[in-house]
Amino acid sequence: MQYTIDFLLIYLIPILLVWAIYILHSRRKSKKNLALKTEEFEAGLTEPASLHPLIDPAKCMGCGTCVKACPEQANHPVLGLIDNKAELIAPTNCIGHGACKTACPFDAITLVFGTERRGVDIPLLDNFQTSMPGIYIAGELGGMGLIRNAIVQGTKAMDQILEALKSEGSAPLDLLIVGAGPAGFCASLQAMEKKIKYKTVEQESLGGTVFQFPRGKLVMTAPVKLPLVGEVKFTETTKEKLLEFWEDVERKTGVQISYHERVEKITANPAGGYDVKTNKDSYHTRMVLLAIGRRGTPRKLGVPGEDLSKITYRLIDPEQYKNQHVLVVGGGDSALEAATSIAAEPGTTVTLSYRSGAFSRAKKKNREKVDQAAESGQINLLLSTNVTEFTEETVTIDKGGEKIEIPNDAAIICAGGILPTGFLKETGINVETKHGTA
């Protein structure tokens, strides 16, 4: 009898106490995650931007390794345990790392594109090669938007291209690289390192999507190897520092990139390879690597006065808008970040116009910043409105049939972009719309 009592006191009761604490902690965590998921879904933030995890609840054992593995988790929640099952609790925060799938010991996670509600157009690829032999795709256009992933893809695509170039064929160029973002820049360095005949064209500036980030925006990356450079050990940096590093690499290596050159058409050459027509020249090349991203051509409002020079489609530097009346149009993260960063500049008057009644496509942090700025009077928030006309000094906005005319020195339209799907199909590349499939 005494032995039994001693056993209970020494072993069983402490074990039960630890178990009770664990259960209490798990329930509190589950409740918190459920509340966050409910808040995100009620706000309409249900659609991941690109690649994201699909979790099989029958296989998930609730170990939480996927949650711990997500590199974004420390900054804003992406995954969480609810009733001992992993769930995507903040879908719009997911940017496609894929670390969750690698970490899961029960093979419960599949990485997919699109959802049942919103399809995502993805070119069909086989080892980075499209349905048009000799045309390859790497980076965001293929569905991988993360900087590190894009760099790795640029390297792997080049490995396939270099192998293909060993076969017979001739043209003035071995390879034409389209785009100088992370994937295209990496591919250009590798092409230079391997001494093949290449040319890189970029319709805007070095950095691609990174160049289009607002000034000072934090860029999350990870150690990665660059051709001709070696391992780059960035973990957290800013847009400016990352671009400064790439520009330094460009100077030191002498890699050649033709800026402000936009590809207009790609056609098969009867003698082999492809003819690529740009706004500046024409090229005959054996291979093409498309690293052009998914932003495509900026979507315009189609209203009178939109051709005025004061109107742009991305924010480069908030400081240039000091002491100006500025209009920002849009409801996504780019629009909200532009509005808040410009509003922080001295003397600015910022109006944010959005056609819907709520910001359903923006992250919670950005929504909160806008709400705070609107409450303090830094931003004039006009929801459920549409721009109807620009003039040199004003802009007219429609709000429920009422015309509002306000002073305007500059406007930034963040209405998204027209995806390059049409260009791909015209080139002959097969594109598939993914609805929650790998």
mmCIF file of all heavy atoms in Angstrom, residues 45-86:
data_model
loop_
_atom_site.group_PDB
_atom_site.id
_atom_site.type_symbol
_atom_site.label_atom_id
_atom_site.label_comp_id
_atom_site.label_asym_id
_atom_site.label_seq_id
_atom_site.Cartn_x
_atom_site.Cartn_y
_atom_site.Cartn_z
ATOM 1 N N LEU A 45 -9.134 37.624 -46.549
ATOM 2 C CA LEU A 45 -7.733 37.313 -46.866
ATOM 3 C C LEU A 45 -7.552 35.801 -46.919
ATOM 4 O O LEU A 45 -6.929 35.178 -46.059
ATOM 5 C CB LEU A 45 -6.810 37.944 -45.819
ATOM 6 C CG LEU A 45 -6.946 39.464 -45.671
ATOM 7 C CD1 LEU A 45 -6.083 39.976 -44.540
ATOM 8 C CD2 LEU A 45 -6.568 40.154 -46.973
ATOM 9 N N THR A 46 -8.098 35.198 -47.961
ATOM 10 C CA THR A 46 -8.132 33.740 -48.059
ATOM 11 C C THR A 46 -7.310 33.176 -49.203
ATOM 12 O O THR A 46 -7.164 31.963 -49.311
ATOM 13 C CB THR A 46 -9.586 33.256 -48.233
ATOM 14 O OG1 THR A 46 -10.110 33.820 -49.454
ATOM 15 C CG2 THR A 46 -10.459 33.705 -47.072
ATOM 16 N N GLU A 47 -6.776 34.049 -50.055
ATOM 17 C CA GLU A 47 -6.123 33.569 -51.270
ATOM 18 C C GLU A 47 -4.602 33.765 -51.213
ATOM 19 O O GLU A 47 -4.123 34.899 -51.271
ATOM 20 C CB GLU A 47 -6.677 34.292 -52.493
ATOM 21 C CG GLU A 47 -8.188 34.161 -52.662
ATOM 22 C CD GLU A 47 -8.612 32.734 -52.936
ATOM 23 O OE1 GLU A 47 -7.807 31.972 -53.484
ATOM 24 O OE2 GLU A 47 -9.757 32.380 -52.604
ATOM 25 N N PRO A 48 -3.819 32.683 -51.113
ATOM 26 C CA PRO A 48 -2.356 32.808 -51.164
ATOM 27 C C PRO A 48 -1.917 33.356 -52.518
ATOM 28 O O PRO A 48 -2.557 33.096 -53.532
ATOM 29 C CB PRO A 48 -1.869 31.359 -50.976
ATOM 30 C CG PRO A 48 -3.040 30.616 -50.420
ATOM 31 C CD PRO A 48 -4.253 31.297 -50.963
ATOM 32 N N ALA A 49 -0.829 34.109 -52.506
ATOM 33 C CA ALA A 49 -0.375 34.749 -53.745
ATOM 34 C C ALA A 49 0.109 33.735 -54.772
ATOM 35 O O ALA A 49 -0.094 33.906 -55.967
ATOM 36 C CB ALA A 49 0.733 35.742 -53.433
ATOM 37 N N SER A 50 0.745 32.664 -54.320
ATOM 38 C CA SER A 50 1.312 31.717 -55.278
ATOM 39 C C SER A 50 1.432 30.335 -54.631
ATOM 40 O O SER A 50 0.469 29.827 -54.081
ATOM 41 C CB SER A 50 2.675 32.227 -55.752
ATOM 42 O OG SER A 50 3.181 31.394 -56.771
ATOM 43 N N LEU A 51 2.637 29.787 -54.646
ATOM 44 C CA LEU A 51 2.857 28.457 -54.093
ATOM 45 C C LEU A 51 2.547 28.456 -52.598
ATOM 46 O O LEU A 51 2.977 29.348 -51.872
ATOM 47 C CB LEU A 51 4.321 28.061 -54.319
ATOM 48 C CG LEU A 51 4.709 26.614 -54.000
ATOM 49 C CD1 LEU A 51 4.115 25.664 -55.023
ATOM 50 C CD2 LEU A 51 6.231 26.475 -53.982
ATOM 51 N N HIS A 52 1.801 27.439 -52.127
ATOM 52 C CA HIS A 52 1.436 27.379 -50.710
ATOM 53 C C HIS A 52 1.113 25.938 -50.305
ATOM 54 O O HIS A 52 0.873 25.077 -51.154
ATOM 55 C CB HIS A 52 0.230 28.282 -50.438
ATOM 56 C CG HIS A 52 -1.003 27.883 -51.199
ATOM 57 N ND1 HIS A 52 -1.205 28.243 -52.510
ATOM 58 C CD2 HIS A 52 -2.092 27.155 -50.846
ATOM 59 C CE1 HIS A 52 -2.364 27.767 -52.932
ATOM 60 N NE2 HIS A 52 -2.918 27.091 -51.927
ATOM 61 N N PRO A 53 1.109 25.651 -48.999
ATOM 62 C CA PRO A 53 0.877 24.271 -48.548
ATOM 63 C C PRO A 53 -0.596 23.884 -48.526
ATOM 64 O O PRO A 53 -1.457 24.669 -48.145
ATOM 65 C CB PRO A 53 1.449 24.277 -47.127
ATOM 66 C CG PRO A 53 1.288 25.683 -46.666
ATOM 67 C CD PRO A 53 1.488 26.535 -47.897
ATOM 68 N N LEU A 54 -0.870 22.662 -48.933
ATOM 69 C CA LEU A 54 -2.173 22.024 -48.759
ATOM 70 C C LEU A 54 -1.952 20.886 -47.763
ATOM 71 O O LEU A 54 -1.169 19.975 -48.033
ATOM 72 C CB LEU A 54 -2.693 21.494 -50.093
ATOM 73 C CG LEU A 54 -4.096 20.863 -50.085
ATOM 74 C CD1 LEU A 54 -5.150 21.908 -49.768
ATOM 75 C CD2 LEU A 54 -4.393 20.199 -51.423
ATOM 76 N N ILE A 55 -2.606 20.953 -46.610
ATOM 77 C CA ILE A 55 -2.333 20.025 -45.511
ATOM 78 C C ILE A 55 -3.421 18.973 -45.431
ATOM 79 O O ILE A 55 -4.614 19.293 -45.351
ATOM 80 C CB ILE A 55 -2.217 20.779 -44.176
ATOM 81 C CG1 ILE A 55 -1.133 21.861 -44.278
ATOM 82 C CG2 ILE A 55 -1.905 19.826 -43.029
ATOM 83 C CD1 ILE A 55 -1.132 22.854 -43.146
ATOM 84 N N ASP A 56 -3.032 17.706 -45.439
ATOM 85 C CA ASP A 56 -3.957 16.577 -45.320
ATOM 86 C C ASP A 56 -4.196 16.303 -43.837
ATOM 87 O O ASP A 56 -3.303 15.804 -43.141
ATOM 88 C CB ASP A 56 -3.360 15.340 -45.997
ATOM 89 C CG ASP A 56 -4.324 14.157 -46.020
ATOM 90 O OD1 ASP A 56 -5.331 14.202 -45.281
ATOM 91 O OD2 ASP A 56 -4.061 13.192 -46.755
ATOM 92 N N PRO A 57 -5.392 16.610 -43.308
ATOM 93 C CA PRO A 57 -5.641 16.416 -41.873
ATOM 94 C C PRO A 57 -5.569 14.957 -41.437
ATOM 95 O O PRO A 57 -5.306 14.666 -40.267
ATOM 96 C CB PRO A 57 -7.056 16.984 -41.685
ATOM 97 C CG PRO A 57 -7.680 16.963 -43.041
ATOM 98 C CD PRO A 57 -6.561 17.151 -44.018
ATOM 99 N N ALA A 58 -5.796 14.030 -42.382
ATOM 100 C CA ALA A 58 -5.736 12.609 -42.032
ATOM 101 C C ALA A 58 -4.303 12.168 -41.751
ATOM 102 O O ALA A 58 -4.065 11.236 -40.976
ATOM 103 C CB ALA A 58 -6.333 11.772 -43.159
ATOM 104 N N LYS A 59 -3.323 12.844 -42.383
ATOM 105 C CA LYS A 59 -1.920 12.488 -42.184
ATOM 106 C C LYS A 59 -1.242 13.336 -41.109
ATOM 107 O O LYS A 59 -0.246 12.921 -40.529
ATOM 108 C CB LYS A 59 -1.150 12.633 -43.494
ATOM 109 C CG LYS A 59 -1.532 11.626 -44.569
ATOM 110 C CD LYS A 59 -0.664 11.822 -45.808
ATOM 111 C CE LYS A 59 -0.983 10.798 -46.883
ATOM 112 N NZ LYS A 59 -0.125 10.988 -48.085
ATOM 113 N N CYS A 60 -1.776 14.538 -40.863
ATOM 114 C CA CYS A 60 -1.147 15.456 -39.902
ATOM 115 C C CYS A 60 -1.299 14.917 -38.489
ATOM 116 O O CYS A 60 -2.402 14.616 -38.030
ATOM 117 C CB CYS A 60 -1.787 16.835 -40.015
ATOM 118 S SG CYS A 60 -1.153 18.026 -38.815
ATOM 119 N N MET A 61 -0.170 14.834 -37.774
ATOM 120 C CA MET A 61 -0.156 14.348 -36.406
ATOM 121 C C MET A 61 -0.031 15.478 -35.382
ATOM 122 O O MET A 61 0.107 15.242 -34.187
ATOM 123 C CB MET A 61 0.994 13.354 -36.214
ATOM 124 C CG MET A 61 0.864 12.077 -37.030
ATOM 125 S SD MET A 61 -0.494 10.997 -36.454
ATOM 126 C CE MET A 61 -1.705 11.286 -37.741
ATOM 127 N N GLY A 62 -0.042 16.718 -35.865
ATOM 128 C CA GLY A 62 -0.005 17.851 -34.954
ATOM 129 C C GLY A 62 1.317 18.074 -34.254
ATOM 130 O O GLY A 62 1.357 18.658 -33.169
ATOM 131 N N CYS A 63 2.421 17.658 -34.890
ATOM 132 C CA CYS A 63 3.733 17.808 -34.251
ATOM 133 C C CYS A 63 4.226 19.254 -34.275
ATOM 134 O O CYS A 63 5.068 19.647 -33.454
ATOM 135 C CB CYS A 63 4.758 16.901 -34.912
ATOM 136 S SG CYS A 63 5.112 17.311 -36.639
ATOM 137 N N GLY A 64 3.732 20.054 -35.222
ATOM 138 C CA GLY A 64 4.090 21.467 -35.275
ATOM 139 C C GLY A 64 5.423 21.779 -35.918
ATOM 140 O O GLY A 64 5.861 22.932 -35.899
ATOM 141 N N THR A 65 6.086 20.793 -36.513
ATOM 142 C CA THR A 65 7.390 21.068 -37.139
ATOM 143 C C THR A 65 7.249 22.011 -38.336
ATOM 144 O O THR A 65 8.142 22.816 -38.612
ATOM 145 C CB THR A 65 8.075 19.771 -37.597
ATOM 146 O OG1 THR A 65 7.188 19.047 -38.455
ATOM 147 C CG2 THR A 65 8.455 18.896 -36.408
ATOM 148 N N CYS A 66 6.126 21.931 -39.024
ATOM 149 C CA CYS A 66 5.905 22.813 -40.176
ATOM 150 C C CYS A 66 5.789 24.265 -39.727
ATOM 151 O O CYS A 66 6.289 25.181 -40.394
ATOM 152 C CB CYS A 66 4.657 22.391 -40.950
ATOM 153 S SG CYS A 66 3.136 22.390 -39.970
ATOM 154 N N VAL A 67 5.130 24.471 -38.584
ATOM 155 C CA VAL A 67 4.969 25.823 -38.046
ATOM 156 C C VAL A 67 6.332 26.410 -37.694
ATOM 157 O O VAL A 67 6.654 27.544 -38.031
ATOM 158 C CB VAL A 67 4.061 25.814 -36.800
ATOM 159 C CG1 VAL A 67 3.901 27.221 -36.242
ATOM 160 C CG2 VAL A 67 2.695 25.220 -37.138
ATOM 161 N N LYS A 68 7.161 25.615 -37.014
ATOM 162 C CA LYS A 68 8.488 26.070 -36.599
ATOM 163 C C LYS A 68 9.406 26.287 -37.800
ATOM 164 O O LYS A 68 10.280 27.145 -37.771
ATOM 165 C CB LYS A 68 9.112 25.055 -35.647
ATOM 166 C CG LYS A 68 8.368 24.906 -34.337
ATOM 167 C CD LYS A 68 8.963 23.783 -33.496
ATOM 168 C CE LYS A 68 8.157 23.566 -32.220
ATOM 169 N NZ LYS A 68 8.675 22.412 -31.430
ATOM 170 N N ALA A 69 9.206 25.516 -38.876
ATOM 171 C CA ALA A 69 10.104 25.587 -40.036
ATOM 172 C C ALA A 69 9.843 26.805 -40.908
ATOM 173 O O ALA A 69 10.738 27.248 -41.631
ATOM 174 C CB ALA A 69 9.972 24.324 -40.880
ATOM 175 N N CYS A 70 8.636 27.363 -40.846
ATOM 176 C CA CYS A 70 8.284 28.496 -41.724
ATOM 177 C C CYS A 70 9.127 29.718 -41.373
ATOM 178 O O CYS A 70 9.008 30.258 -40.259
ATOM 179 C CB CYS A 70 6.803 28.829 -41.599
ATOM 180 S SG CYS A 70 6.312 30.264 -42.602
ATOM 181 N N PRO A 71 9.959 30.218 -42.301
ATOM 182 C CA PRO A 71 10.814 31.375 -42.000
ATOM 183 C C PRO A 71 10.043 32.665 -41.775
ATOM 184 O O PRO A 71 10.571 33.609 -41.194
ATOM 185 C CB PRO A 71 11.697 31.491 -43.255
ATOM 186 C CG PRO A 71 11.625 30.157 -43.918
ATOM 187 C CD PRO A 71 10.242 29.661 -43.626
ATOM 188 N N GLU A 72 8.793 32.727 -42.244
ATOM 189 C CA GLU A 72 7.988 33.945 -42.084
ATOM 190 C C GLU A 72 7.303 34.018 -40.726
ATOM 191 O O GLU A 72 6.821 35.074 -40.324
ATOM 192 C CB GLU A 72 6.924 34.004 -43.181
ATOM 193 C CG GLU A 72 7.470 34.186 -44.576
ATOM 194 C CD GLU A 72 8.207 35.499 -44.726
ATOM 195 O OE1 GLU A 72 7.600 36.558 -44.497
ATOM 196 O OE2 GLU A 72 9.405 35.467 -45.046
ATOM 197 N N GLN A 73 7.245 32.889 -40.011
ATOM 198 C CA GLN A 73 6.451 32.788 -38.789
ATOM 199 C C GLN A 73 6.854 33.809 -37.723
ATOM 200 O O GLN A 73 6.010 34.310 -36.984
ATOM 201 C CB GLN A 73 6.583 31.365 -38.224
ATOM 202 C CG GLN A 73 5.451 30.959 -37.298
ATOM 203 C CD GLN A 73 4.149 30.654 -38.030
ATOM 204 O OE1 GLN A 73 4.135 30.406 -39.227
ATOM 205 N NE2 GLN A 73 3.044 30.699 -37.306
ATOM 206 N N ALA A 74 8.143 34.124 -37.647
ATOM 207 C CA ALA A 74 8.614 35.049 -36.619
ATOM 208 C C ALA A 74 8.112 36.470 -36.851
ATOM 209 O O ALA A 74 7.959 37.249 -35.904
ATOM 210 C CB ALA A 74 10.141 35.034 -36.568
ATOM 211 N N ASN A 75 7.832 36.819 -38.097
ATOM 212 C CA ASN A 75 7.404 38.177 -38.428
ATOM 213 C C ASN A 75 5.884 38.311 -38.501
ATOM 214 O O ASN A 75 5.333 39.311 -38.069
ATOM 215 C CB ASN A 75 8.013 38.591 -39.768
ATOM 216 C CG ASN A 75 9.532 38.579 -39.723
ATOM 217 O OD1 ASN A 75 10.140 39.417 -39.090
ATOM 218 N ND2 ASN A 75 10.137 37.602 -40.383
ATOM 219 N N HIS A 76 5.226 37.301 -39.055
ATOM 220 C CA HIS A 76 3.776 37.284 -39.075
ATOM 221 C C HIS A 76 3.324 35.843 -39.268
ATOM 222 O O HIS A 76 3.903 35.097 -40.053
ATOM 223 C CB HIS A 76 3.199 38.182 -40.180
ATOM 224 C CG HIS A 76 3.994 38.180 -41.442
ATOM 225 N ND1 HIS A 76 4.632 39.284 -41.937
ATOM 226 C CD2 HIS A 76 4.283 37.183 -42.313
ATOM 227 C CE1 HIS A 76 5.258 38.985 -43.049
ATOM 228 N NE2 HIS A 76 5.057 37.717 -43.307
ATOM 229 N N PRO A 77 2.281 35.408 -38.537
ATOM 230 C CA PRO A 77 1.846 34.008 -38.594
ATOM 231 C C PRO A 77 1.435 33.582 -39.998
ATOM 232 O O PRO A 77 0.850 34.355 -40.747
ATOM 233 C CB PRO A 77 0.654 33.973 -37.636
ATOM 234 C CG PRO A 77 0.821 35.159 -36.759
ATOM 235 C CD PRO A 77 1.479 36.204 -37.600
ATOM 236 N N VAL A 78 1.762 32.354 -40.332
ATOM 237 C CA VAL A 78 1.339 31.752 -41.592
ATOM 238 C C VAL A 78 0.593 30.448 -41.285
ATOM 239 O O VAL A 78 -0.535 30.238 -41.705
ATOM 240 C CB VAL A 78 2.542 31.461 -42.517
ATOM 241 C CG1 VAL A 78 2.086 30.740 -43.786
ATOM 242 C CG2 VAL A 78 3.272 32.752 -42.874
ATOM 243 N N LEU A 79 1.248 29.584 -40.522
ATOM 244 C CA LEU A 79 0.681 28.292 -40.119
ATOM 245 C C LEU A 79 0.407 28.292 -38.614
ATOM 246 O O LEU A 79 1.021 29.054 -37.862
ATOM 247 C CB LEU A 79 1.646 27.159 -40.458
ATOM 248 C CG LEU A 79 1.929 26.923 -41.946
ATOM 249 C CD1 LEU A 79 3.227 26.157 -42.118
ATOM 250 C CD2 LEU A 79 0.779 26.156 -42.588
ATOM 251 N N GLY A 80 -0.488 27.422 -38.183
ATOM 252 C CA GLY A 80 -0.771 27.277 -36.759
ATOM 253 C C GLY A 80 -1.503 25.987 -36.486
ATOM 254 O O GLY A 80 -2.130 25.407 -37.387
ATOM 255 N N LEU A 81 -1.410 25.504 -35.248
ATOM 256 C CA LEU A 81 -2.111 24.285 -34.847
ATOM 257 C C LEU A 81 -3.485 24.640 -34.292
ATOM 258 O O LEU A 81 -3.613 25.480 -33.394
ATOM 259 C CB LEU A 81 -1.317 23.523 -33.788
ATOM 260 C CG LEU A 81 0.028 22.928 -34.225
ATOM 261 C CD1 LEU A 81 0.701 22.230 -33.053
ATOM 262 C CD2 LEU A 81 -0.148 21.955 -35.386
ATOM 263 N N ILE A 82 -4.527 24.007 -34.838
ATOM 264 C CA ILE A 82 -5.894 24.140 -34.347
ATOM 265 C C ILE A 82 -6.431 22.747 -34.088
ATOM 266 O O ILE A 82 -6.488 21.923 -35.011
ATOM 267 C CB ILE A 82 -6.787 24.888 -35.355
ATOM 268 C CG1 ILE A 82 -6.254 26.306 -35.607
ATOM 269 C CG2 ILE A 82 -8.226 24.945 -34.854
ATOM 270 C CD1 ILE A 82 -7.029 27.085 -36.643
ATOM 271 N N ASP A 83 -6.768 22.470 -32.819
ATOM 272 C CA ASP A 83 -7.220 21.125 -32.427
ATOM 273 C C ASP A 83 -6.207 20.063 -32.850
ATOM 274 O O ASP A 83 -6.561 19.011 -33.407
ATOM 275 C CB ASP A 83 -8.596 20.816 -33.012
ATOM 276 C CG ASP A 83 -9.679 21.723 -32.448
ATOM 277 O OD1 ASP A 83 -9.523 22.179 -31.295
ATOM 278 O OD2 ASP A 83 -10.667 21.992 -33.151
ATOM 279 N N ASN A 84 -4.919 20.384 -32.618
ATOM 280 C CA ASN A 84 -3.809 19.456 -32.888
ATOM 281 C C ASN A 84 -3.660 19.077 -34.362
ATOM 282 O O ASN A 84 -3.144 17.999 -34.683
ATOM 283 C CB ASN A 84 -3.954 18.177 -32.038
ATOM 284 C CG ASN A 84 -3.772 18.476 -30.568
ATOM 285 O OD1 ASN A 84 -2.874 19.236 -30.189
ATOM 286 N ND2 ASN A 84 -4.620 17.899 -29.729
ATOM 287 N N LYS A 85 -4.094 19.958 -35.244
ATOM 288 C CA LYS A 85 -3.894 19.785 -36.677
ATOM 289 C C LYS A 85 -3.326 21.086 -37.254
ATOM 290 O O LYS A 85 -3.797 22.179 -36.915
ATOM 291 C CB LYS A 85 -5.204 19.442 -37.397
ATOM 292 C CG LYS A 85 -5.849 18.135 -36.949
ATOM 293 C CD LYS A 85 -5.052 16.926 -37.403
ATOM 294 C CE LYS A 85 -5.756 15.629 -36.993
ATOM 295 N NZ LYS A 85 -4.990 14.430 -37.402
ATOM 296 N N ALA A 86 -2.324 20.968 -38.103
ATOM 297 C CA ALA A 86 -1.742 22.170 -38.718
ATOM 298 C C ALA A 86 -2.685 22.733 -39.765
ATOM 299 O O ALA A 86 -3.291 21.989 -40.539
ATOM 300 C CB ALA A 86 -0.397 21.837 -39.342
#
